[in-house]
Amino acid sequence: MRPLDPLARPNRYDLLAGAVALALLGRFLLASREALGPYTPTPISLDPRHLPEYALRTAFRMGVALLLSTLFTLVYAPLAAKTRLEPFLIAVLDILQSVPILGFLAASVAALSGLFPGKALGFELAAIFAVFTSQAWNMAFSFYQSLKTLPRELEEAARLYRLTPPQRFLRLELPYALPGLVWNAMMSMSGGWFFVVASEAISVGKTEVDLPGVGSYLARALAQGNMEALAYALLAMLLTILLYDQLLFRPLVAWSERFKYEERPGEATARSWVLDLLRRSRATRRLGEWLAEALLERALRFHPPRALGLPPWLGPALLTALGLLGLEAAAKLLLPLGPGEWLRAIALGFFTFLRVMGILLLATAVWVPVGILLGLRPRVAVRVQALLQFLAAFPANLLYPFAAYLLLRYRLSMEVFSAFLMALGTQWYILFNVTAGATALPADLLEAARAYRLSGVRLWRRLLLPGVFPYLVTGLVTASGGTWNASIVAEVVQWGPHRLEATGLGAYITRATEAGDERRLLLGIVVMSLMVVTLNRLLWRRLYRWAEERFRF
């Protein structure tokens, strides 16, 4: 063995970093041990002394879901952007994004609990999968958009240096996409809180399971109308968000600044005490060097075999085959309903469609300027980062009973104001993506704009709006899917004995779920999926192509 270099010997920062790592590892091992044990129904206690344990369990599930979403993104998005299977893979992603979270939860609970009978693992995996479905599509679309809008001069440099596919991915594509991907990971993590109640307080058919966590605590507090417990739950959410903001996202934002696409190094604006600690830790530096050697250097020497020639028709053929496999089972449930019920569901979907498009237009007009101004002031964006995460993570459905009270008190129209309830949890997709786009604007272009004295409308029309347009499209795509999902809980609200319903497909699905009507529930999910996919193909996909052709650096 080689003698240790004096600069590689452990220092006080190594001890501190090791203590933090061991503390986190110990807590997560404790949470995972509970998940692997036998399932024993335990009533959720509203005693606030249990909230630290519940918050840990929720953070564990959301952390595992985020890790799976990241792995899915790093594999799926490059395949969709750079292979001949792109039309097939994007169509599958459109379909997956369009399926309501309740649909995923209903399927996963039955399948996973059957795989692990008597074990808590089945229900834990179902909860993690439900959170995964609220995170993965947003991140995959973000990475896909970055790969499709890679600057042309960087592509030419990669060809000039004859980079192999692994080299191109590790040295060019992933670093270029990192700033936007980090902001979308924050949005995905926050978006998971919107469905944490449904994923932990599982109620599918005759299956009712309460997994210990903040979501099930919230569900119990809402069921009992315990306002004090609700306040404790929100405080636990806030502290959990602040914790993973400090330990995970703030270091990632500060670290990703080194990959910003600029002609010259820019000024570092984001700081993180965790990142500073890791940089001062000699053991961490040595570990990083070892990983770089193990991954990057092997990638530099790796020359993959020539890819198999896949015929262009393979993707559509696979999609058709998968569709035919599920058609028989679906037909047995849907055909007895008759064409009249189909027309009714489609008509209700049209009302929800009008609300979705109205909210997207309004949210774009409000949050695009705010996101650009935040992105142009990175120091401000970093300071309000945790606040934005909390606002995005706040379960908007907690406000629905109060909204119902106001609608009843002032005799307001549920047909109109249900659209604003749908926007509460989905508008943040637009803000986070636009902020990421404005943050990624090269400093040399901003300096050129100042040199040419561009200001006011000309500055926004010539630089700012075109610069963030690809990110805006990604935000609109994910916000659209999220808004359709939110309609299921936003078109039906209740205050005491009073129940308010809006005319729409979301209310249709909610009524079918409450009645245990599997036929109409499946019909509502199918119609919603078809409408979302049609909207994606006719509108969002064309905007993606326009952004790729006109608004790439």
Side-chain angles (χ1 to χ4, degrees), residues 203-208 513 516 518:
S203 179
V204 178
K206 297 181 180 179
T207 303
E208 293 190 2
T513 303
E518 295 181 353

Side-chain angles (χ1 to χ4, degrees), residues 85-420:
L85 294 176
E86 178 178 4
F88 166 69
L89 294 176
I90 291 299
V92 170
L93 197 59
D94 286 340
I95 294 172
L96 291 174
Q97 184 200 209
S98 66
V99 176
I101 303 294
L102 292 178
F104 284 116
L105 190 62
S108 62
V109 167
L112 293 172
S113 61
L115 284 177
F116 304 96
K119 298 287 186 180
L121 183 60
F123 298 115
E124 291 284 351
L125 290 177
I128 290 172
F129 182 71
V131 178
F132 167 85
T133 58
S134 67
Q135 295 177 343
W137 325 136
N138 175 52
M139 297 174 63
F141 274 119
S142 170
F143 197 23
Y144 171 81
Q145 169 255 312
S146 297
L147 294 175
K148 298 298 287 186
T149 57
L150 197 70
R152 291 186 176 90
E153 59 266 28
L154 294 184
E155 292 184 335
E156 293 173 0
R159 287 193 295 269
L160 180 65
Y161 284 100
R162 298 180 182 178
L163 297 184
T164 64
Q167 293 171 355
R168 179 186 173 97
F169 180 79
L170 292 174
R171 291 295 181 90
L172 174 60
E173 295 166 345
L174 182 58
Y176 175 76
L178 265 178
L181 189 58
V182 169
W183 277 90
N184 275 279
M186 278 194 286
M187 180 62 241
S188 293
M189 191 71 165
S190 297
W193 285 97
F194 188 84
F195 296 101
V196 76
V197 173
S199 64
E200 292 182 347
I202 300 174
S203 179
V204 178
K206 297 181 180 179
T207 303
E208 293 190 2
V209 176
D210 287 333
L211 298 175
V214 178
S216 53
Y217 186 96
L218 277 170
R220 178 60 58 88
L222 283 171
Q224 297 183 7
N226 191 326
M227 300 302 295
E228 183 180 0
L230 283 176
Y232 281 126
L234 293 179
L235 179 60
M237 278 183 54
L238 176 60
L239 294 177
T240 305
I241 291 170
L242 288 174
L243 186 63
Y244 67 63
D245 173 70
Q246 290 293 318
L247 296 179
L248 178 63
F249 288 121
R250 196 171 294 267
L252 284 176
V253 169
W255 177 69
S256 66
E257 281 195 345
R258 62 184 299 186
F259 303 110
K260 186 176 177 181
Y261 175 60
E262 293 180 314
E263 295 291 336
R264 56 177 180 77
E267 179 187 359
T269 55
R271 295 293 302 273
S272 165
W273 65 270
V274 173
L275 187 60
D276 292 338
L277 174 63
L278 294 177
R279 284 171 173 168
R280 293 170 181 173
S281 168
R282 293 171 182 170
T284 304
R285 185 166 63 248
R286 290 296 296 270
L287 178 62
E289 293 172 356
W290 179 80
L291 289 175
E293 182 178 358
L295 295 177
L296 291 176
E297 297 305 323
R298 289 186 182 182
L300 291 175
R301 297 192 299 265
F302 176 69
H303 295 274
R306 185 168 297 179
L308 296 176
L310 297 175
W313 51 264
L314 180 60
L318 289 174
L319 185 61
T320 303
L322 291 174
L324 290 176
L325 288 175
L327 186 61
E328 181 181 2
K332 291 180 181 179
L333 288 173
L334 297 180
L335 287 179
L337 292 177
E341 192 67 25
W342 274 86
L343 292 175
R344 177 168 174 256
I346 293 173
L348 292 174
F350 178 73
F351 285 100
T352 302
F353 165 78
L354 293 179
R355 293 190 185 98
V356 169
M357 296 308 297
I359 282 301
L360 291 181
L361 290 174
L362 181 61
T364 300
V366 172
W367 293 116
V368 167
V370 175
I372 290 177
L373 293 176
L374 278 177
L376 294 179
R377 295 165 176 80
R379 295 183 186 277
V380 178
V382 169
R383 289 172 183 170
V384 301
Q385 181 176 307
L387 175 62
L388 292 178
Q389 289 184 66
F390 178 73
L391 293 176
F394 186 87
N397 47 344
L398 294 184
L399 300 176
Y400 292 171
F402 302 103
Y405 167 76
L406 294 176
L407 292 174
L408 289 168
R409 175 69 175 79
Y410 297 102
R411 298 181 181 180
L412 301 175
S413 172
M414 182 65 181
E415 302 292 344
V416 175
F417 285 92
S418 61
F420 294 96

Side-chain angles (χ1 to χ4, degrees), residues 392-456:
F394 186 87
N397 47 344
L398 294 184
L399 300 176
Y400 292 171
F402 302 103
Y405 167 76
L406 294 176
L407 292 174
L408 289 168
R409 175 69 175 79
Y410 297 102
R411 298 181 181 180
L412 301 175
S413 172
M414 182 65 181
E415 302 292 344
V416 175
F417 285 92
S418 61
F420 294 96
L421 299 181
M422 291 160 59
L424 289 176
T426 59
Q427 58 188 335
W428 310 108
Y429 289 101
I430 296 175
L431 174 62
F432 274 69
N433 276 278
V434 172
T435 302
T439 303
L441 284 173
D444 47 324
L445 287 185
L446 296 172
E447 290 181 1
R450 286 193 292 268
Y452 283 102
R453 297 181 181 178
L454 291 183
S455 61

